[in-house]
mmCIF file of all heavy atoms in Angstrom:
data_model
loop_
_atom_site.group_PDB
_atom_site.id
_atom_site.type_symbol
_atom_site.label_atom_id
_atom_site.label_comp_id
_atom_site.label_asym_id
_atom_site.label_seq_id
_atom_site.Cartn_x
_atom_site.Cartn_y
_atom_site.Cartn_z
ATOM 1 N N THR A 1 -15.858 7.641 11.037
ATOM 2 C CA THR A 1 -14.949 7.310 12.124
ATOM 3 C C THR A 1 -13.884 6.349 11.600
ATOM 4 O O THR A 1 -13.962 5.871 10.459
ATOM 5 C CB THR A 1 -15.717 6.663 13.284
ATOM 6 O OG1 THR A 1 -16.261 5.416 12.820
ATOM 7 C CG2 THR A 1 -16.843 7.561 13.777
ATOM 8 N N GLU A 2 -12.896 6.023 12.424
ATOM 9 C CA GLU A 2 -11.875 5.078 11.985
ATOM 10 C C GLU A 2 -12.474 3.705 11.657
ATOM 11 O O GLU A 2 -12.135 3.115 10.632
ATOM 12 C CB GLU A 2 -10.767 4.958 13.041
ATOM 13 C CG GLU A 2 -9.898 6.200 13.164
ATOM 14 C CD GLU A 2 -9.303 6.638 11.841
ATOM 15 O OE1 GLU A 2 -8.770 5.766 11.116
ATOM 16 O OE2 GLU A 2 -9.373 7.842 11.519
ATOM 17 N N PRO A 3 -13.392 3.153 12.505
ATOM 18 C CA PRO A 3 -14.063 1.900 12.089
ATOM 19 C C PRO A 3 -14.857 2.074 10.802
ATOM 20 O O PRO A 3 -14.936 1.161 9.981
ATOM 21 C CB PRO A 3 -14.964 1.573 13.270
ATOM 22 C CG PRO A 3 -14.323 2.225 14.442
ATOM 23 C CD PRO A 3 -13.740 3.506 13.904
ATOM 24 N N GLY A 4 -15.433 3.267 10.614
ATOM 25 C CA GLY A 4 -16.175 3.524 9.389
ATOM 26 C C GLY A 4 -15.285 3.491 8.168
ATOM 27 O O GLY A 4 -15.675 2.979 7.105
ATOM 28 N N LYS A 5 -14.052 3.996 8.298
ATOM 29 C CA LYS A 5 -13.105 3.970 7.170
ATOM 30 C C LYS A 5 -12.703 2.536 6.829
ATOM 31 O O LYS A 5 -12.512 2.200 5.658
ATOM 32 C CB LYS A 5 -11.879 4.805 7.511
ATOM 33 C CG LYS A 5 -12.168 6.294 7.608
ATOM 34 C CD LYS A 5 -10.936 7.061 8.066
ATOM 35 C CE LYS A 5 -11.242 8.543 8.230
ATOM 36 N NZ LYS A 5 -10.073 9.301 8.740
ATOM 37 N N VAL A 6 -12.568 1.693 7.866
ATOM 38 C CA VAL A 6 -12.237 0.288 7.612
ATOM 39 C C VAL A 6 -13.351 -0.373 6.801
ATOM 40 O O VAL A 6 -13.102 -1.075 5.812
ATOM 41 C CB VAL A 6 -12.022 -0.466 8.944
ATOM 42 C CG1 VAL A 6 -11.893 -1.968 8.699
ATOM 43 C CG2 VAL A 6 -10.784 0.064 9.659
ATOM 44 N N LEU A 7 -14.598 -0.144 7.210
ATOM 45 C CA LEU A 7 -15.713 -0.753 6.489
ATOM 46 C C LEU A 7 -15.932 -0.113 5.128
ATOM 47 O O LEU A 7 -16.402 -0.781 4.197
ATOM 48 C CB LEU A 7 -16.996 -0.653 7.323
ATOM 49 C CG LEU A 7 -17.102 -1.593 8.524
ATOM 50 C CD1 LEU A 7 -18.511 -1.553 9.094
ATOM 51 C CD2 LEU A 7 -16.746 -3.032 8.145
ATOM 52 N N LEU A 8 -15.598 1.163 4.988
ATOM 53 C CA LEU A 8 -15.713 1.797 3.672
ATOM 54 C C LEU A 8 -14.787 1.110 2.675
ATOM 55 O O LEU A 8 -15.176 0.866 1.529
ATOM 56 C CB LEU A 8 -15.365 3.288 3.769
ATOM 57 C CG LEU A 8 -15.343 4.036 2.433
ATOM 58 C CD1 LEU A 8 -16.712 4.008 1.762
ATOM 59 C CD2 LEU A 8 -14.860 5.471 2.627
ATOM 60 N N ARG A 9 -13.574 0.809 3.109
ATOM 61 C CA ARG A 9 -12.644 0.091 2.230
ATOM 62 C C ARG A 9 -13.252 -1.240 1.792
ATOM 63 O O ARG A 9 -13.200 -1.609 0.616
ATOM 64 C CB ARG A 9 -11.327 -0.138 2.967
ATOM 65 C CG ARG A 9 -10.260 -0.792 2.119
ATOM 66 C CD ARG A 9 -8.893 -0.642 2.766
ATOM 67 N NE ARG A 9 -8.796 -1.352 4.035
ATOM 68 C CZ ARG A 9 -8.531 -0.790 5.206
ATOM 69 N NH1 ARG A 9 -8.373 0.511 5.299
ATOM 70 N NH2 ARG A 9 -8.433 -1.514 6.300
ATOM 71 N N TYR A 10 -13.869 -1.947 2.719
ATOM 72 C CA TYR A 10 -14.506 -3.225 2.415
ATOM 73 C C TYR A 10 -15.692 -3.010 1.469
ATOM 74 O O TYR A 10 -15.899 -3.776 0.518
ATOM 75 C CB TYR A 10 -14.954 -3.887 3.710
ATOM 76 C CG TYR A 10 -15.612 -5.227 3.546
ATOM 77 C CD1 TYR A 10 -14.925 -6.316 3.017
ATOM 78 C CD2 TYR A 10 -16.943 -5.421 3.927
ATOM 79 C CE1 TYR A 10 -15.532 -7.547 2.873
ATOM 80 C CE2 TYR A 10 -17.556 -6.650 3.785
ATOM 81 C CZ TYR A 10 -16.850 -7.709 3.258
ATOM 82 O OH TYR A 10 -17.458 -8.919 3.110
ATOM 83 N N ALA A 11 -16.460 -1.935 1.703
ATOM 84 C CA ALA A 11 -17.617 -1.647 0.851
ATOM 85 C C ALA A 11 -17.187 -1.350 -0.579
ATOM 86 O O ALA A 11 -17.810 -1.817 -1.542
ATOM 87 C CB ALA A 11 -18.405 -0.466 1.426
ATOM 88 N N ARG A 12 -16.108 -0.580 -0.736
ATOM 89 C CA ARG A 12 -15.614 -0.275 -2.078
ATOM 90 C C ARG A 12 -15.161 -1.555 -2.787
ATOM 91 O O ARG A 12 -15.403 -1.748 -3.983
ATOM 92 C CB ARG A 12 -14.435 0.692 -1.987
ATOM 93 C CG ARG A 12 -14.777 2.072 -1.436
ATOM 94 C CD ARG A 12 -15.567 2.880 -2.408
ATOM 95 N NE ARG A 12 -15.674 4.269 -1.988
ATOM 96 C CZ ARG A 12 -16.752 5.011 -2.115
ATOM 97 N NH1 ARG A 12 -17.852 4.497 -2.659
ATOM 98 N NH2 ARG A 12 -16.770 6.264 -1.726
ATOM 99 N N GLN A 13 -14.498 -2.418 -2.062
ATOM 100 C CA GLN A 13 -14.034 -3.660 -2.667
ATOM 101 C C GLN A 13 -15.208 -4.537 -3.078
ATOM 102 O O GLN A 13 -15.184 -5.164 -4.151
ATOM 103 C CB GLN A 13 -13.115 -4.384 -1.687
ATOM 104 C CG GLN A 13 -11.818 -3.638 -1.411
ATOM 105 C CD GLN A 13 -11.014 -4.251 -0.291
ATOM 106 O OE1 GLN A 13 -11.377 -5.288 0.258
ATOM 107 N NE2 GLN A 13 -9.912 -3.618 0.065
ATOM 108 N N MET A 14 -16.251 -4.579 -2.262
ATOM 109 C CA MET A 14 -17.436 -5.364 -2.600
ATOM 110 C C MET A 14 -18.114 -4.812 -3.856
ATOM 111 O O MET A 14 -18.585 -5.574 -4.700
ATOM 112 C CB MET A 14 -18.411 -5.375 -1.427
ATOM 113 C CG MET A 14 -17.940 -6.175 -0.222
ATOM 114 S SD MET A 14 -17.664 -7.931 -0.607
ATOM 115 C CE MET A 14 -19.324 -8.436 -1.056
ATOM 116 N N GLN A 15 -18.146 -3.483 -3.983
ATOM 117 C CA GLN A 15 -18.727 -2.890 -5.180
ATOM 118 C C GLN A 15 -17.933 -3.274 -6.428
ATOM 119 O O GLN A 15 -18.515 -3.568 -7.483
ATOM 120 C CB GLN A 15 -18.774 -1.366 -5.032
ATOM 121 C CG GLN A 15 -19.802 -0.879 -4.016
ATOM 122 C CD GLN A 15 -19.753 0.617 -3.807
ATOM 123 O OE1 GLN A 15 -18.737 1.260 -4.040
ATOM 124 N NE2 GLN A 15 -20.851 1.184 -3.351
ATOM 125 N N ALA A 16 -16.607 -3.277 -6.310
ATOM 126 C CA ALA A 16 -15.781 -3.655 -7.456
ATOM 127 C C ALA A 16 -15.986 -5.122 -7.818
ATOM 128 O O ALA A 16 -16.067 -5.483 -9.001
ATOM 129 C CB ALA A 16 -14.309 -3.380 -7.147
ATOM 130 N N LEU A 17 -16.066 -5.993 -6.807
ATOM 131 C CA LEU A 17 -16.303 -7.410 -7.073
ATOM 132 C C LEU A 17 -17.668 -7.625 -7.720
ATOM 133 O O LEU A 17 -17.827 -8.468 -8.602
ATOM 134 C CB LEU A 17 -16.203 -8.203 -5.767
ATOM 135 C CG LEU A 17 -14.789 -8.354 -5.195
ATOM 136 C CD1 LEU A 17 -14.857 -8.957 -3.795
ATOM 137 C CD2 LEU A 17 -13.934 -9.219 -6.104
ATOM 138 N N ARG A 18 -18.661 -6.857 -7.280
ATOM 139 C CA ARG A 18 -20.003 -6.978 -7.860
ATOM 140 C C ARG A 18 -19.982 -6.562 -9.328
ATOM 141 O O ARG A 18 -20.619 -7.192 -10.175
ATOM 142 C CB ARG A 18 -20.978 -6.126 -7.054
ATOM 143 C CG ARG A 18 -22.445 -6.338 -7.417
ATOM 144 C CD ARG A 18 -23.334 -5.806 -6.308
ATOM 145 N NE ARG A 18 -23.099 -4.399 -6.049
ATOM 146 C CZ ARG A 18 -23.184 -3.834 -4.842
ATOM 147 N NH1 ARG A 18 -23.462 -4.570 -3.774
ATOM 148 N NH2 ARG A 18 -22.986 -2.548 -4.693
ATOM 149 N N ALA A 19 -19.245 -5.484 -9.631
ATOM 150 C CA ALA A 19 -19.125 -5.054 -11.028
ATOM 151 C C ALA A 19 -18.418 -6.113 -11.854
ATOM 152 O O ALA A 19 -18.789 -6.374 -13.004
ATOM 153 C CB ALA A 19 -18.387 -3.724 -11.091
ATOM 154 N N ASP A 20 -17.384 -6.746 -11.287
ATOM 155 C CA ASP A 20 -16.688 -7.826 -11.990
ATOM 156 C C ASP A 20 -17.634 -8.978 -12.313
ATOM 157 O O ASP A 20 -17.651 -9.503 -13.436
ATOM 158 C CB ASP A 20 -15.539 -8.364 -11.132
ATOM 159 C CG ASP A 20 -14.280 -7.516 -11.243
ATOM 160 O OD1 ASP A 20 -14.129 -6.811 -12.255
ATOM 161 O OD2 ASP A 20 -13.470 -7.555 -10.311
ATOM 162 N N ALA A 21 -18.416 -9.391 -11.306
ATOM 163 C CA ALA A 21 -19.324 -10.517 -11.502
ATOM 164 C C ALA A 21 -20.359 -10.212 -12.574
ATOM 165 O O ALA A 21 -20.654 -11.049 -13.441
ATOM 166 C CB ALA A 21 -20.013 -10.867 -10.180
ATOM 167 N N ALA A 22 -20.922 -8.998 -12.519
ATOM 168 C CA ALA A 22 -21.928 -8.618 -13.515
ATOM 169 C C ALA A 22 -21.332 -8.609 -14.915
ATOM 170 O O ALA A 22 -21.949 -9.066 -15.876
ATOM 171 C CB ALA A 22 -22.499 -7.242 -13.160
ATOM 172 N N ARG A 23 -20.101 -8.107 -15.029
ATOM 173 C CA ARG A 23 -19.453 -8.054 -16.346
ATOM 174 C C ARG A 23 -19.222 -9.459 -16.894
ATOM 175 O O ARG A 23 -19.490 -9.732 -18.068
ATOM 176 C CB ARG A 23 -18.122 -7.301 -16.222
ATOM 177 C CG ARG A 23 -17.302 -7.251 -17.497
ATOM 178 C CD ARG A 23 -16.012 -6.461 -17.265
ATOM 179 N NE ARG A 23 -15.212 -7.069 -16.208
ATOM 180 C CZ ARG A 23 -14.267 -7.967 -16.416
ATOM 181 N NH1 ARG A 23 -14.026 -8.408 -17.642
ATOM 182 N NH2 ARG A 23 -13.573 -8.465 -15.410
ATOM 183 N N GLU A 24 -18.730 -10.357 -16.050
ATOM 184 C CA GLU A 24 -18.429 -11.708 -16.518
ATOM 185 C C GLU A 24 -19.696 -12.490 -16.838
ATOM 186 O O GLU A 24 -19.692 -13.366 -17.697
ATOM 187 C CB GLU A 24 -17.591 -12.437 -15.468
ATOM 188 C CG GLU A 24 -16.188 -11.853 -15.304
ATOM 189 C CD GLU A 24 -15.336 -12.653 -14.347
ATOM 190 O OE1 GLU A 24 -15.574 -13.872 -14.227
ATOM 191 O OE2 GLU A 24 -14.432 -12.075 -13.716
ATOM 192 N N LEU A 25 -20.786 -12.165 -16.150
ATOM 193 C CA LEU A 25 -22.049 -12.853 -16.407
ATOM 194 C C LEU A 25 -22.859 -12.190 -17.515
ATOM 195 O O LEU A 25 -23.906 -12.711 -17.916
ATOM 196 C CB LEU A 25 -22.893 -12.903 -15.124
ATOM 197 C CG LEU A 25 -22.342 -13.775 -13.991
ATOM 198 C CD1 LEU A 25 -23.148 -13.560 -12.715
ATOM 199 C CD2 LEU A 25 -22.359 -15.245 -14.384
ATOM 200 N N GLY A 26 -22.393 -11.039 -17.972
ATOM 201 C CA GLY A 26 -23.147 -10.317 -18.986
ATOM 202 C C GLY A 26 -24.402 -9.698 -18.444
ATOM 203 O O GLY A 26 -25.336 -9.405 -19.190
ATOM 204 N N ALA A 27 -24.439 -9.471 -17.128
ATOM 205 C CA ALA A 27 -25.630 -8.900 -16.492
ATOM 206 C C ALA A 27 -25.522 -7.387 -16.450
ATOM 207 O O ALA A 27 -24.447 -6.802 -16.599
ATOM 208 C CB ALA A 27 -25.790 -9.455 -15.079
ATOM 209 N N THR A 28 -26.655 -6.746 -16.215
ATOM 210 C CA THR A 28 -26.710 -5.290 -16.086
ATOM 211 C C THR A 28 -26.954 -4.942 -14.631
ATOM 212 O O THR A 28 -27.883 -5.459 -14.007
ATOM 213 C CB THR A 28 -27.833 -4.695 -16.956
ATOM 214 O OG1 THR A 28 -27.605 -5.064 -18.319
ATOM 215 C CG2 THR A 28 -27.858 -3.183 -16.828
ATOM 216 N N LEU A 29 -26.119 -4.064 -14.081
ATOM 217 C CA LEU A 29 -26.278 -3.649 -12.700
ATOM 218 C C LEU A 29 -27.444 -2.679 -12.574
ATOM 219 O O LEU A 29 -27.785 -1.961 -13.508
ATOM 220 C CB LEU A 29 -24.992 -2.974 -12.205
ATOM 221 C CG LEU A 29 -23.758 -3.888 -12.158
ATOM 222 C CD1 LEU A 29 -22.504 -3.051 -11.987
ATOM 223 C CD2 LEU A 29 -23.885 -4.890 -11.031
ATOM 224 N N GLY A 30 -28.063 -2.661 -11.399
ATOM 225 C CA GLY A 30 -29.174 -1.757 -11.178
ATOM 226 C C GLY A 30 -28.791 -0.296 -11.331
ATOM 227 O O GLY A 30 -29.547 0.516 -11.839
ATOM 228 N N ARG A 31 -27.605 0.054 -10.875
ATOM 229 C CA ARG A 31 -27.079 1.393 -11.076
ATOM 230 C C ARG A 31 -25.587 1.278 -11.335
ATOM 231 O O ARG A 31 -24.958 0.281 -10.998
ATOM 232 C CB ARG A 31 -27.356 2.297 -9.862
ATOM 233 C CG ARG A 31 -26.573 1.927 -8.608
ATOM 234 C CD ARG A 31 -26.982 2.816 -7.443
ATOM 235 N NE ARG A 31 -26.157 2.587 -6.271
ATOM 236 C CZ ARG A 31 -25.118 3.332 -5.914
ATOM 237 N NH1 ARG A 31 -24.774 4.361 -6.661
ATOM 238 N NH2 ARG A 31 -24.432 3.059 -4.828
ATOM 239 N N GLU A 32 -25.037 2.304 -11.958
ATOM 240 C CA GLU A 32 -23.619 2.250 -12.319
ATOM 241 C C GLU A 32 -22.751 2.144 -11.072
ATOM 242 O O GLU A 32 -22.897 2.908 -10.130
ATOM 243 C CB GLU A 32 -23.239 3.498 -13.111
ATOM 244 C CG GLU A 32 -21.797 3.495 -13.584
ATOM 245 C CD GLU A 32 -21.443 4.704 -14.408
ATOM 246 O OE1 GLU A 32 -21.052 5.721 -13.812
ATOM 247 O OE2 GLU A 32 -21.574 4.632 -15.646
ATOM 248 N N GLU A 33 -21.854 1.164 -11.066
ATOM 249 C CA GLU A 33 -20.908 1.031 -9.966
ATOM 250 C C GLU A 33 -19.712 1.950 -10.212
ATOM 251 O O GLU A 33 -19.176 2.009 -11.307
ATOM 252 C CB GLU A 33 -20.426 -0.417 -9.853
ATOM 253 C CG GLU A 33 -21.486 -1.389 -9.356
ATOM 254 C CD GLU A 33 -21.799 -1.232 -7.883
ATOM 255 O OE1 GLU A 33 -21.247 -0.314 -7.238
ATOM 256 O OE2 GLU A 33 -22.609 -2.018 -7.367
ATOM 257 N N ARG A 34 -19.325 2.667 -9.182
ATOM 258 C CA ARG A 34 -18.160 3.529 -9.258
ATOM 259 C C ARG A 34 -16.908 2.738 -8.922
ATOM 260 O O ARG A 34 -16.896 1.959 -7.983
ATOM 261 C CB ARG A 34 -18.267 4.670 -8.241
ATOM 262 C CG ARG A 34 -19.141 5.802 -8.642
ATOM 263 C CD ARG A 34 -18.996 6.965 -7.668
ATOM 264 N NE ARG A 34 -18.853 6.559 -6.280
ATOM 265 C CZ ARG A 34 -17.831 6.885 -5.512
ATOM 266 N NH1 ARG A 34 -16.832 7.587 -5.996
ATOM 267 N NH2 ARG A 34 -17.790 6.511 -4.252
ATOM 268 N N LEU A 35 -15.853 2.962 -9.686
ATOM 269 C CA LEU A 35 -14.535 2.432 -9.373
ATOM 270 C C LEU A 35 -13.624 3.630 -9.165
ATOM 271 O O LEU A 35 -12.976 4.116 -10.101
ATOM 272 C CB LEU A 35 -14.023 1.537 -10.502
ATOM 273 C CG LEU A 35 -14.877 0.307 -10.827
ATOM 274 C CD1 LEU A 35 -14.322 -0.430 -12.033
ATOM 275 C CD2 LEU A 35 -14.959 -0.634 -9.630
ATOM 276 N N PRO A 36 -13.558 4.157 -7.932
ATOM 277 C CA PRO A 36 -12.800 5.395 -7.699
ATOM 278 C C PRO A 36 -11.307 5.148 -7.594
ATOM 279 O O PRO A 36 -10.854 4.215 -6.927
ATOM 280 C CB PRO A 36 -13.369 5.901 -6.365
ATOM 281 C CG PRO A 36 -13.819 4.663 -5.651
ATOM 282 C CD PRO A 36 -14.273 3.703 -6.717
ATOM 283 N N ILE A 37 -10.523 5.966 -8.274
ATOM 284 C CA ILE A 37 -9.072 5.934 -8.152
ATOM 285 C C ILE A 37 -8.582 7.367 -7.979
ATOM 286 O O ILE A 37 -9.205 8.315 -8.475
ATOM 287 C CB ILE A 37 -8.394 5.267 -9.366
ATOM 288 C CG1 ILE A 37 -8.642 6.061 -10.643
ATOM 289 C CG2 ILE A 37 -8.868 3.833 -9.539
ATOM 290 C CD1 ILE A 37 -7.848 5.555 -11.842
ATOM 291 N N ALA A 38 -7.483 7.530 -7.262
ATOM 292 C CA ALA A 38 -6.908 8.853 -7.026
ATOM 293 C C ALA A 38 -5.670 9.030 -7.899
ATOM 294 O O ALA A 38 -4.825 8.137 -7.968
ATOM 295 C CB ALA A 38 -6.544 9.014 -5.548
ATOM 296 N N VAL A 39 -5.586 10.165 -8.569
ATOM 297 C CA VAL A 39 -4.448 10.457 -9.436
ATOM 298 C C VAL A 39 -3.970 11.872 -9.164
ATOM 299 O O VAL A 39 -4.719 12.724 -8.689
ATOM 300 C CB VAL A 39 -4.802 10.292 -10.936
ATOM 301 C CG1 VAL A 39 -5.268 8.879 -11.242
ATOM 302 C CG2 VAL A 39 -5.871 11.292 -11.350
ATOM 303 N N ASN A 40 -2.714 12.126 -9.474
ATOM 304 C CA ASN A 40 -2.191 13.484 -9.329
ATOM 305 C C ASN A 40 -2.550 14.304 -10.556
ATOM 306 O O ASN A 40 -2.734 13.790 -11.658
ATOM 307 C CB ASN A 40 -0.676 13.466 -9.106
ATOM 308 C CG ASN A 40 0.062 12.784 -10.239
ATOM 309 O OD1 ASN A 40 -0.275 11.665 -10.619
ATOM 310 N ND2 ASN A 40 1.064 13.453 -10.797
ATOM 311 N N ALA A 41 -2.658 15.617 -10.364
ATOM 312 C CA ALA A 41 -3.151 16.500 -11.415
ATOM 313 C C ALA A 41 -2.251 16.491 -12.643
ATOM 314 O O ALA A 41 -2.741 16.556 -13.779
ATOM 315 C CB ALA A 41 -3.289 17.921 -10.871
ATOM 316 N N ASP A 42 -0.937 16.408 -12.457
ATOM 317 C CA ASP A 42 -0.036 16.453 -13.607
ATOM 318 C C ASP A 42 -0.169 15.200 -14.472
ATOM 319 O O ASP A 42 -0.093 15.279 -15.699
ATOM 320 C CB ASP A 42 1.407 16.609 -13.135
ATOM 321 C CG ASP A 42 1.681 17.997 -12.571
ATOM 322 O OD1 ASP A 42 0.943 18.937 -12.932
ATOM 323 O OD2 ASP A 42 2.624 18.141 -11.769
ATOM 324 N N SER A 43 -0.376 14.035 -13.834
ATOM 325 C CA SER A 43 -0.616 12.824 -14.619
ATOM 326 C C SER A 43 -1.951 12.918 -15.350
ATOM 327 O O SER A 43 -2.076 12.508 -16.509
ATOM 328 C CB SER A 43 -0.595 11.586 -13.713
ATOM 329 O OG SER A 43 0.704 11.338 -13.223
ATOM 330 N N LEU A 44 -2.960 13.470 -14.664
ATOM 331 C CA LEU A 44 -4.276 13.616 -15.288
ATOM 332 C C LEU A 44 -4.192 14.530 -16.507
ATOM 333 O O LEU A 44 -4.858 14.297 -17.519
ATOM 334 C CB LEU A 44 -5.272 14.172 -14.270
ATOM 335 C CG LEU A 44 -6.713 14.343 -14.738
ATOM 336 C CD1 LEU A 44 -7.337 13.006 -15.109
ATOM 337 C CD2 LEU A 44 -7.549 15.027 -13.658
ATOM 338 N N ALA A 45 -3.352 15.560 -16.429
ATOM 339 C CA ALA A 45 -3.242 16.531 -17.520
ATOM 340 C C ALA A 45 -2.436 16.013 -18.695
ATOM 341 O O ALA A 45 -2.453 16.634 -19.771
ATOM 342 C CB ALA A 45 -2.605 17.820 -16.992
#
């Protein structure tokens, strides 16, 4: 839903911050954190 999309944005940001913290602390995350980005096909190619 629209409220769900708002919280999804927040959830993605929290995942990125968690990955940042683990990297700076030299810690290992329980599972791989995704950092999703959208690109156009011609740039990808």
